[in-house]
Amino acid sequence: MSKTAIVTGGSRGIGRAVCIRLAKDGYNIVFNYNSNEEQANITLEEIEKQGVQARAFRLNIKESENCAELVKQTADTFGTVDVLVNNAGITRDGLLMRMKDEDFADVIDTNLSGAFYMLRAVSKYMMKQRHGSIINMSSIVGVNGNAGQVNYAASKAGIIGMTKSAARELAARNIRVNAVAPGMIETDMTAVLPENVREQMLAQIPLKEIGKPEDIANTVAFFASEDSRYITGQVLLVDGGMS
Ligand code: NAP
């Protein structure tokens, strides 16, 4: 029987690499994005080249009911939801003293609440199936903190707590929940950083290279697969040795 994975934020960056990698591993892919239809179509084409089925939905992850509907439609179409990758995320950086309420709320609502809505919705199906693997995208910033990112760090640390709690709650039904915490990865999110900041960060990476989206996708594929069948509740830092 074919396998199905849901990936949030699949139009660009790490999410796109995850979609393509899981498609190579034989999963049908359902992904969502916020607004970038052109990029989403590129991801769709890349997935279909791997010979599996793909569906893309323009869906704001902050909307709980739409998240539930996405999962329902996936289960109705493909009959199973084997993997969820909670990847969609944003930054709204700024110093603590000047950070606006809406910048704090936007990041928490997108990165943390959005992941919760998806986690809750897939759990219902995975519990009935008695199997599943959920992979949540945290960040090195959620582990170590970072000046100028209290909102983002809070959301990514929250992801870790949510991962560990859900792992305990769902283990009896053979559902594993793990987190991947990337260091600095070459995507649109990091492309906006000034050159001097990039150089400072690069100097802190023992492997002397900014990571590629595929480095994270490979780790997600491991957590999705049976190769990690005895691992749950873990946070794996994929950061070139930075931490
Ligand atoms: P990215 O290139 O900026 O892509 C973000 C993705 O999330 C896009 O597909 C975007 O859709 C989607 N998205 C954003 N807000 C959304 C919303 N409200 N509803 C639905 N989809 C939404 O980001 P990335 O660098 O690949 O990061 C992916 C994940 O890895 C994030 O959770 C990020 O925090 C985490 N991470 C990244 C790094 C890094 O160095 N890049 C490091 C640590 C952790 P649109 O294209 O439509 O906007």
Side-chain angles (χ1 to χ4, degrees):
M1 192 176 151
S2 58
K3 307 172 285 181
T4 309
I6 300 177
V7 181
T8 69
S11 50
R12 296 181 281 133
I14 292 171
R16 174 186 285 166
V18 168
C19 287
I20 296 169
R21 173 59 209 259
L22 293 181
K24 279 186 182 150
D25 289 350
Y27 290 87
N28 293 319
I29 307 288
V30 175
F31 74 89
N32 81 320
Y33 61 100
N34 191 33
S35 60
N36 217 325
E37 193 172 346
E38 210 178 306
Q39 293 298 314
N41 285 335
I42 296 173
T43 303
L44 261 182
E45 280 172 26
E46 291 295 320
I47 296 169
E48 283 166 352
K49 274 186 205 163
Q50 310 306 324
V52 296
Q53 294 192 59
R55 303 275 189 283
F57 293 90
R58 181 173 182 158
L59 181 158
N60 190 334
I61 202 81
K62 292 195 280 190
E63 292 163 3
S64 163
E65 282 176 14
N66 289 343
C67 291
E69 185 56 31
L70 174 74
V71 176
K72 183 180 180 303
Q73 281 197 27
T74 305
D76 289 350
T77 308
F78 294 108
T80 165
V81 185
D82 304 280
V83 169
L84 165 68
V85 185
N86 265 321
N87 165 80
I90 57 165
T91 51
R92 295 280 181 270
D93 298 350
L95 292 174
L96 164 62
M97 301 273 287
R98 289 195 219 126
M99 188 173 285
K100 295 193 176 78
D101 292 355
E102 51 267 36
D103 288 337
F104 190 84
D106 201 12
V107 169
I108 297 292
D109 292 351
T110 306
N111 299 6
L112 187 56
S113 303
F116 164 69
Y117 300 144
M118 293 300 297
L119 170 66
R120 182 176 58 188
V122 298
S123 297
K124 187 175 135 191
Y125 292 91
M126 288 181 174
M127 283 178 81
K128 277 190 209 141
Q129 292 169 183
R130 293 188 168 267
H131 81 266
S133 176
I134 297 165
I135 301 113
N136 296 321
M137 207 56 74
S138 180
S139 167
I140 189 173
V141 170
V143 179
N144 294 347
N146 194 25
Q149 290 196 307
V150 291
N151 49 0
Y152 185 76
S155 74
K156 294 301 183 179
I159 285 279
I160 292 173
M162 193 165 78
T163 299
K164 291 181 183 234
S165 301
R168 285 183 187 276
E169 211 170 301
L170 300 175
R173 297 290 181 107
N174 191 30
I175 301 164
R176 298 181 297 107
V177 191
N178 292 288
V180 178
M184 190 173 178
I185 307 299
E186 196 69 72
T187 68
D188 292 345
M189 190 178 268
T190 48
V192 295
L193 295 173
E195 196 49 40
N196 64 328
V197 175
R198 285 168 69 88
E199 274 167 25
Q200 278 168 20
M201 293 190 78
L202 192 55
Q204 292 169 39
I205 304 174
L207 285 178
K208 294 281 165 234
E209 199 190 317
I210 293 175
K212 296 182 172 56
E214 291 74 18
D215 295 320
I216 305 305
N218 292 340
T219 312
V220 169
F222 167 68
F223 279 131
S225 80
E226 281 295 296
D227 288 347
S228 60
R229 60 174 285 276
Y230 200 55
I231 304 176
T232 194
Q234 293 301 305
V235 183
L236 185 54
L237 283 131
V238 183
D239 64 355
M242 210 173 175
S243 53

mmCIF file of all heavy atoms in Angstrom, residues 14 17 27 38 40-41 46 51 56 61 125 132 145 199 208 217 219 233 239:
data_model
loop_
_atom_site.group_PDB
_atom_site.id
_atom_site.type_symbol
_atom_site.label_atom_id
_atom_site.label_comp_id
_atom_site.label_asym_id
_atom_site.label_seq_id
_atom_site.Cartn_x
_atom_site.Cartn_y
_atom_site.Cartn_z
ATOM 1 N N ILE A 14 13.552 24.587 2.938
ATOM 2 C CA ILE A 14 13.667 23.262 3.561
ATOM 3 C C ILE A 14 12.434 22.419 3.239
ATOM 4 O O ILE A 14 12.543 21.229 2.928
ATOM 5 C CB ILE A 14 13.846 23.422 5.095
ATOM 6 C CG1 ILE A 14 15.209 24.056 5.406
ATOM 7 C CG2 ILE A 14 13.693 22.078 5.804
ATOM 8 C CD1 ILE A 14 15.411 24.465 6.867
ATOM 9 N N ALA A 17 12.661 20.833 -0.164
ATOM 10 C CA ALA A 17 13.643 19.735 -0.168
ATOM 11 C C ALA A 17 13.072 18.495 0.521
ATOM 12 O O ALA A 17 13.300 17.362 0.083
ATOM 13 C CB ALA A 17 14.936 20.186 0.514
ATOM 14 N N TYR A 27 6.709 8.330 -1.031
ATOM 15 C CA TYR A 27 5.493 8.876 -0.419
ATOM 16 C C TYR A 27 4.714 9.726 -1.425
ATOM 17 O O TYR A 27 5.316 10.531 -2.152
ATOM 18 C CB TYR A 27 5.848 9.810 0.755
ATOM 19 C CG TYR A 27 6.416 9.112 1.966
ATOM 20 C CD1 TYR A 27 7.780 8.868 2.069
ATOM 21 C CD2 TYR A 27 5.591 8.711 3.013
ATOM 22 C CE1 TYR A 27 8.315 8.237 3.179
ATOM 23 C CE2 TYR A 27 6.115 8.083 4.130
ATOM 24 C CZ TYR A 27 7.470 7.852 4.207
ATOM 25 O OH TYR A 27 8.003 7.228 5.305
ATOM 26 N N GLU A 38 3.581 30.444 -7.348
ATOM 27 C CA GLU A 38 4.568 30.122 -8.388
ATOM 28 C C GLU A 38 5.601 29.113 -7.874
ATOM 29 O O GLU A 38 5.906 28.121 -8.542
ATOM 30 C CB GLU A 38 5.269 31.430 -8.783
ATOM 31 C CG GLU A 38 5.739 31.468 -10.202
ATOM 32 C CD GLU A 38 6.378 32.825 -10.493
ATOM 33 O OE1 GLU A 38 5.725 33.857 -10.260
ATOM 34 O OE2 GLU A 38 7.544 32.819 -10.935
ATOM 35 N N ALA A 40 5.200 27.165 -5.301
ATOM 36 C CA ALA A 40 4.493 25.914 -4.964
ATOM 37 C C ALA A 40 4.366 25.031 -6.210
ATOM 38 O O ALA A 40 4.525 23.811 -6.139
ATOM 39 C CB ALA A 40 3.117 26.223 -4.387
ATOM 40 N N ASN A 41 4.112 25.665 -7.360
ATOM 41 C CA ASN A 41 3.979 24.887 -8.599
ATOM 42 C C ASN A 41 5.295 24.221 -8.983
ATOM 43 O O ASN A 41 5.304 23.111 -9.518
ATOM 44 C CB ASN A 41 3.468 25.775 -9.730
ATOM 45 C CG ASN A 41 1.986 26.057 -9.570
ATOM 46 O OD1 ASN A 41 1.268 25.275 -8.949
ATOM 47 N ND2 ASN A 41 1.520 27.178 -10.108
ATOM 48 N N GLU A 46 8.404 19.072 -9.266
ATOM 49 C CA GLU A 46 9.554 18.279 -8.806
ATOM 50 C C GLU A 46 9.100 16.989 -8.119
ATOM 51 O O GLU A 46 9.729 15.946 -8.267
ATOM 52 C CB GLU A 46 10.422 19.098 -7.836
ATOM 53 C CG GLU A 46 11.168 20.246 -8.501
ATOM 54 C CD GLU A 46 12.213 19.754 -9.507
ATOM 55 O OE1 GLU A 46 12.890 18.756 -9.214
ATOM 56 O OE2 GLU A 46 12.322 20.364 -10.593
ATOM 57 N N GLY A 51 7.474 10.322 -9.668
ATOM 58 C CA GLY A 51 6.522 9.246 -9.961
ATOM 59 C C GLY A 51 5.492 8.995 -8.863
ATOM 60 O O GLY A 51 4.863 7.930 -8.839
ATOM 61 N N ALA A 56 -1.139 20.336 -3.681
ATOM 62 C CA ALA A 56 -0.683 21.553 -2.977
ATOM 63 C C ALA A 56 -1.892 22.387 -2.592
ATOM 64 O O ALA A 56 -2.828 22.518 -3.380
ATOM 65 C CB ALA A 56 0.240 22.353 -3.883
ATOM 66 N N ILE A 61 -1.445 28.387 7.888
ATOM 67 C CA ILE A 61 -1.282 27.429 8.991
ATOM 68 C C ILE A 61 -1.852 27.967 10.317
ATOM 69 O O ILE A 61 -2.097 27.213 11.248
ATOM 70 C CB ILE A 61 0.233 27.078 9.124
ATOM 71 C CG1 ILE A 61 0.441 25.745 9.822
ATOM 72 C CG2 ILE A 61 1.021 28.162 9.827
ATOM 73 C CD1 ILE A 61 0.268 24.578 8.934
ATOM 74 N N TYR A 125 -6.074 10.549 13.103
ATOM 75 C CA TYR A 125 -5.993 9.495 12.080
ATOM 76 C C TYR A 125 -4.910 8.478 12.423
ATOM 77 O O TYR A 125 -5.111 7.273 12.263
ATOM 78 C CB TYR A 125 -5.732 10.116 10.698
ATOM 79 C CG TYR A 125 -6.913 10.913 10.223
ATOM 80 C CD1 TYR A 125 -7.007 12.272 10.496
ATOM 81 C CD2 TYR A 125 -7.957 10.293 9.534
ATOM 82 C CE1 TYR A 125 -8.112 13.001 10.087
ATOM 83 C CE2 TYR A 125 -9.063 11.017 9.121
ATOM 84 C CZ TYR A 125 -9.140 12.378 9.399
ATOM 85 O OH TYR A 125 -10.237 13.082 9.007
ATOM 86 N N GLY A 132 2.542 5.964 12.778
ATOM 87 C CA GLY A 132 2.777 7.291 12.213
ATOM 88 C C GLY A 132 4.078 7.866 12.731
ATOM 89 O O GLY A 132 4.607 7.442 13.769
ATOM 90 N N GLY A 145 18.929 29.976 22.227
ATOM 91 C CA GLY A 145 18.515 31.380 22.255
ATOM 92 C C GLY A 145 19.339 32.206 21.281
ATOM 93 O O GLY A 145 20.384 31.756 20.789
ATOM 94 N N GLU A 199 28.856 36.080 7.876
ATOM 95 C CA GLU A 199 30.262 35.719 8.110
ATOM 96 C C GLU A 199 30.524 35.376 9.570
ATOM 97 O O GLU A 199 31.242 34.416 9.871
ATOM 98 C CB GLU A 199 31.185 36.848 7.640
ATOM 99 C CG GLU A 199 31.491 36.693 6.150
ATOM 100 C CD GLU A 199 32.122 37.923 5.532
ATOM 101 O OE1 GLU A 199 32.745 38.700 6.263
ATOM 102 O OE2 GLU A 199 31.961 38.085 4.303
ATOM 103 N N LYS A 208 32.530 24.518 8.649
ATOM 104 C CA LYS A 208 32.906 25.620 7.744
ATOM 105 C C LYS A 208 32.028 25.738 6.505
ATOM 106 O O LYS A 208 32.507 26.037 5.412
ATOM 107 C CB LYS A 208 34.384 25.459 7.296
ATOM 108 C CG LYS A 208 35.374 25.610 8.414
ATOM 109 C CD LYS A 208 35.603 27.062 8.750
ATOM 110 C CE LYS A 208 36.300 27.276 10.070
ATOM 111 N NZ LYS A 208 35.617 28.169 10.992
ATOM 112 N N ALA A 217 16.487 17.708 4.912
ATOM 113 C CA ALA A 217 15.562 16.727 4.318
ATOM 114 C C ALA A 217 16.030 15.296 4.579
ATOM 115 O O ALA A 217 15.214 14.403 4.854
ATOM 116 C CB ALA A 217 15.421 16.988 2.815
ATOM 117 N N THR A 219 17.668 14.211 7.127
ATOM 118 C CA THR A 219 17.399 13.891 8.535
ATOM 119 C C THR A 219 15.913 13.608 8.735
ATOM 120 O O THR A 219 15.533 12.677 9.456
ATOM 121 C CB THR A 219 17.834 15.074 9.437
ATOM 122 O OG1 THR A 219 19.147 15.473 9.046
ATOM 123 C CG2 THR A 219 17.836 14.692 10.890
ATOM 124 N N GLY A 233 10.658 11.271 20.747
ATOM 125 C CA GLY A 233 10.855 12.329 21.743
ATOM 126 C C GLY A 233 12.223 12.990 21.668
ATOM 127 O O GLY A 233 12.632 13.690 22.595
ATOM 128 N N ASP A 239 23.600 20.983 12.402
ATOM 129 C CA ASP A 239 24.122 22.358 12.449
ATOM 130 C C ASP A 239 25.615 22.482 12.131
ATOM 131 O O ASP A 239 26.238 23.485 12.493
ATOM 132 C CB ASP A 239 23.839 22.956 13.832
ATOM 133 C CG ASP A 239 24.575 22.215 14.942
ATOM 134 O OD1 ASP A 239 25.230 21.179 14.644
ATOM 135 O OD2 ASP A 239 24.519 22.661 16.087
#
